[in-house]
Amino acid sequence: MEKIFCDIRKCLGCKSCEIACGVEHSTSKNIFKSIREEKKPRQRVIVRSTTKEPFPLRCHHCEEAPCIEACMSGAMYKDEKGVTRHDPDKCVGCWMCIMVCPFGAISRQESLALKCDLCPDREDSFACVEACPTKALFAGTWDEFKKRLGQEKR
Amino acid sequence: MKKQDKSIDKASQELLEIAEREGIDTAWERYEAMVPQCGFGELGLCCRNCLLGPCRIDPFEEGPQKGVCGATPEIIAARNLTRMIAAGASAHSDHGRDVAHTLLLAAQGKTEGYGIKDEDKLLSLANELGIKTNRRDKKEIAKEVAEKVFSEFGQQHGELQFSHRAPEKRQALWRKLGIMPRGIDREIVEVMHRTSIGVDNDPENLITHGMKTALGDGWGGSMIATELSDVLFGTPRPIRAKVNLGVLKEDEVNLVVHGHEPTLSDVIVTASQDKELIELAKKNGAKGINLAGICCTANEILMRHGIPIAGNFLQQELAITTGAVDLMLVDVQCVMPGLSSVARCFHTKIVSTSPKAKFPGAEHVEFNEEEALPIAKKIVRMAVENFKNRMKEKVNIPKVKMDLVAGFTAESVFKFLGGRYRATYRPLNDAIINGRLRGAAAIVGCNNPKIKQDWGHVEMAKELIKNDVLVVVTGCSAIANAKAGLLKPEAAFQYAGKGLQEICQAVGVPPVLHVGSCVDNSRILITLCNVVNEGGLGEDISELPVAGAAPEWMSEKAVAIAFYVVASGVFTVLGNPFPILGSREVTELLTRRLTEVVGANFAFESDPIKAAQLMIDHINKKREALKLKPVMYEKEEVLVK
């Protein structure tokens, strides 16, 4: 399946992906308007660093997803393409998914869990990948990503 | 980050623990939250100078390589850095302008708060500026000096008067390169023009004008600030004092001054000694009024009055965290907007005073020089009246303080070398020539949570003095070294090499000399000129065995200082690199090629010991070029190499 990967050697920690994700999940989808919206849009990717090297933290849509295992209400589920989905109508806000996620990729919006939904309003692109100025973020299959890493000079 | 990784200062560590417990945010937490900081900004690859952008260049060379206007990484990095110089030069120069304004008001008799404390300096300045002094009233002379100096800011052509203090050879080089500053403001305006869309797109041309602007700071704005402050408030002489947060007192009203300009802090000194206000303090249950300072305004009143220093830049929020500060008075520069949110956790009042600098959550009592003393008294009264609101259970004053000697200037320190009646730099030059001293170094600049507080300053100073390099310090570096005990004469026996020890013992000075605030870096320039003029160490500043460093810099002012120091011929090491590393060409220019242009260059090294080694290597090379004797007490192992 097509996923988002990151070549962390190229991540500068500019947080452009965060901004783009926030704008994408706003009503207006416009940076100047989105920051003034009554319900502040929330980004689902967050740039963190352990020592000095930054990297974007977001849902990896794991094949064996611990969040689905842990979800008691069935709000977390796999769709037909293998994407890990979250159904806000079923979510009870027990935060078990947050507890078990090995990446720390799930956050909260009020009483509901919040995670990467692979930009449902877009046809064939992802806001974060598009915004990444160093092309550290990459959309494709695992094999395509591996091939790309092999082609890199660095 | 553990508290030990945040600061080497025991007082800071103690209060950081309290801050953490109480949930008080400081610059360290805000820094941690900000990490990772933007890579484009760090590399100098983003440009916001026009609305074709904001543009940024992909340093991995996959994304865009040019801004919308076509600007390359080289152009963008050079433009941004040059603007930093302009901002820094503006800050120092505006400070100088305010001091000149105060001198003018004092001379016109329009203010009672100020007088002329150093008449000798006034007369020598008047002579230098070509103003007649014979049988004239000192106020008349002061008025003319102030007006002449004022005109240097807006001067459109010609040369800045104080730049003629530089060695002939240096002046000739500046003229040849076209970087002799014409007027202080003019060069700054030109930076803003050149760096706007579609003007100067040659990185070297930009940096060259940056140096000209910086020289207008070092030999203009800053030097004016220092010289006229000496006239108004007195030229400092060596003085004993205490430093660190332990100077705050549990049973007295604590008034902390923070910021930069001495025009207000100096009258606060007078106001805090007012009998009526001390009586009022006693009536309010306090034993007296305790004045202490933070940052350079603290250095100004330390140098001239021996007022204790509470801390340096990163301790401003921690001072409030003691719960014992009844009022913190701020003016301009390096005052964190974060102060008022810390103050909300305590009874502390933050009072802003400059019409140029207002702060959210602060009370504003506007200062003007005409009514300096009444305003100062009003603020002291506010502090006294706030004492009763102090929450006893929230008071935590660390029992950490240190003795120090400050008050060294280009005039004073070497008077001692030559004896009281025969002020001369000869003994200093001889000490370097015969190898008792390896050379001299200046450590200046800020604190920055990117580097453990004070660690850069203190470790570097220790390494240098161990190797017989006399160290001079200003600004927050001076406060850092003072807290570590290096400004005590006894420090020579503990830390200095044998040669430096002998000098310190003979002259009775510490191995690390406090020469003032950040505008007082101009004192270092004057000292270097005096050393060259004394003879025997070459004809230009760039030939001297000296080096400079700013191990924990953060302010744009530090960029301006670094550039005027290098453009004056002194090799300078910076703890954090300038935000230009995204451009190979600009990096190459600053760290290598600049030597061929102005006889000095920059180096970037965050490890203070390694940085000190770079400085020592440079000093050794200069000694060799001057064919000086080997260093007298060179360690054996070094000789074997």
Side-chain angles (χ1 to χ4, degrees), chain B residues 414 428 437 439-442 464-465 468-472 500 504 510-513:
Chain B
F414 303 106
L428 176 68
L437 280 182
L464 289 169
I465 60 177
D468 292 320
V469 176
L470 178 70
V471 172
V472 296
L500 178 56
C504 291
V512 179
L513 302 175

Side-chain angles (χ1 to χ4, degrees), chain B residues 485-521:
Chain B
L486 296 177
L487 303 196
K488 289 189 298 185
E490 305 90 278
F493 302 107
Q494 203 178 339
Y495 300 106
K498 200 166 169 222
L500 178 56
Q501 249 182 50
E502 286 173 1
I503 300 279
C504 291
Q505 198 170 10
V507 189
V509 292
V512 179
L513 302 175
H514 189 331
V515 296
S517 63
C518 26
V519 290
D520 290 339
N521 284 321

Side-chain angles (χ1 to χ4, degrees), chain B residues 178-198:
Chain B
I179 58 170
M180 182 63 112
R182 294 160 295 188
I184 298 163
D185 297 350
R186 174 165 188 182
E187 310 307 352
I188 295 169
V189 169
E190 197 173 310
V191 170
M192 299 316 281
H193 177 198
R194 283 181 186 232
T195 54
S196 64
I197 162 81

Side-chain angles (χ1 to χ4, degrees), chain A:
Chain A
M1 75 172 269
E2 190 173 70
K3 291 211 285 192
I4 297 167
F5 296 94
C6 180
D7 179 355
I8 58 167
R9 298 171 303 175
K10 287 181 160 189
C11 178
L12 286 179
C14 71
K15 302 182 178 231
S16 298
C17 51
E18 286 188 21
I19 293 173
C21 186
V23 174
E24 177 64 23
H25 291 91
S26 69
T27 316
S28 61
K29 301 214 189 311
N30 167 300
I31 186 164
F32 298 116
K33 290 181 188 157
S34 67
I35 55 169
R36 295 277 175 269
E37 279 175 28
E38 211 185 315
K39 195 177 167 196
K40 277 260 156 71
R42 283 277 311 273
Q43 69 260 39
R44 293 121 202 269
V45 55
I46 189 156
V47 180
R48 283 277 179 270
S49 72
T50 44
T51 49
K52 274 213 143 165
E53 313 297 340
F55 56 86
L57 203 65
R58 83 240 170 280
C59 175
H60 289 257
H61 300 276
C62 311
E63 273 175 25
E64 289 177 33
C67 58
I68 296 177
E69 301 252 3
C71 183
M72 59 176 185
S73 66
M76 290 285 184
Y77 66 98
K78 281 278 179 196
D79 72 6
E80 63 285 2
K81 285 185 192 158
V83 175
T84 307
R85 298 274 178 205
H86 173 249
D87 182 350
D89 291 333
K90 287 191 183 164
C91 181
V92 295
C94 69
W95 315 132
M96 282 308 291
C97 53
I98 294 179
M99 300 276 286
V100 298
C101 176
F103 298 103
I106 305 174
S107 57
R108 306 192 299 191
Q109 184 170 37
E110 288 155 16
S111 63
L112 302 175
L114 190 75
K115 62 179 269 310
C116 168
D117 54 7
L118 292 175
C119 301
D121 297 348
R122 286 173 177 247
E123 289 288 328
D124 52 3
S125 66
F126 303 103
C128 56
V129 177
E130 216 169 77
C132 182
T134 65
K135 310 272 183 274
L137 287 172
F138 173 79
T141 62
W142 169 236
D143 284 333
E144 285 169 336
F145 182 56
K146 268 198 300 194
K147 204 170 140 202
R148 179 190 151 93
L149 288 181
Q151 285 166 351
E152 292 293 332
K153 284 170 270 173
R154 269 166 272 272

Side-chain angles (χ1 to χ4, degrees), chain B residues 23-153:
Chain B
I24 297 166
D25 251 6
T26 65
W28 283 279
E29 282 76 43
R30 293 191 297 268
Y31 168 66
E32 275 187 285
M34 196 56 71
V35 173
Q37 285 174 305
C38 173
F40 298 98
E42 287 184 315
L43 296 169
L45 291 180
C46 54
C47 179
R48 292 183 296 113
N49 294 9
C50 83
L51 213 65
L52 293 177
C55 296
R56 44 191 172 179
I57 307 297
D58 174 12
F60 300 112
E61 297 174 9
E62 202 158 303
Q65 291 304 293
K66 281 179 182 167
V68 178
C69 71
T72 58
E74 277 66 42
I75 296 170
I76 294 176
R79 276 200 303 226
N80 290 345
L81 187 65
T82 312
R83 280 201 172 186
M84 289 183 91
I85 297 173
S90 304
H92 289 144
S93 303
D94 222 24
H95 171 164
R97 192 192 331 259
D98 279 354
V99 180
H101 176 63
T102 309
L103 180 64
L104 185 64
L105 290 176
Q108 290 169 333
K110 285 186 182 166
T111 171
E112 286 175 17
Y114 311 94
I116 287 145
K117 286 240 181 83
D118 190 341
E119 219 170 300
D120 290 347
K121 191 143 198 176
L122 175 70
L123 295 181
S124 79
L125 282 177
N127 284 329
E128 192 179 350
L129 296 166
I131 293 160
K132 279 191 196 133
T133 53
N134 262 356
R135 280 171 294 176
R136 287 184 75 193
D137 180 54
K138 69 176 178 183
K139 285 200 165 169
E140 279 295 304
I141 300 169
K143 188 166 163 265
E144 219 173 307
V145 166
E147 270 172 353
K148 173 74 183 75
V149 165
F150 252 149
S151 70
E152 298 244 308
F153 288 90

Side-chain angles (χ1 to χ4, degrees), chain B residues 386-402:
Chain B
N386 199 28
F387 177 77
K388 61 177 183 293
N389 298 325
R390 204 188 276 182
M391 293 168 267
K392 292 257 151 44
E393 69 283 2
K394 279 194 165 182
V395 173
N396 288 293
I397 303 171
K399 288 187 175 51
V400 183
K401 57 181 168 183
M402 182 58 80

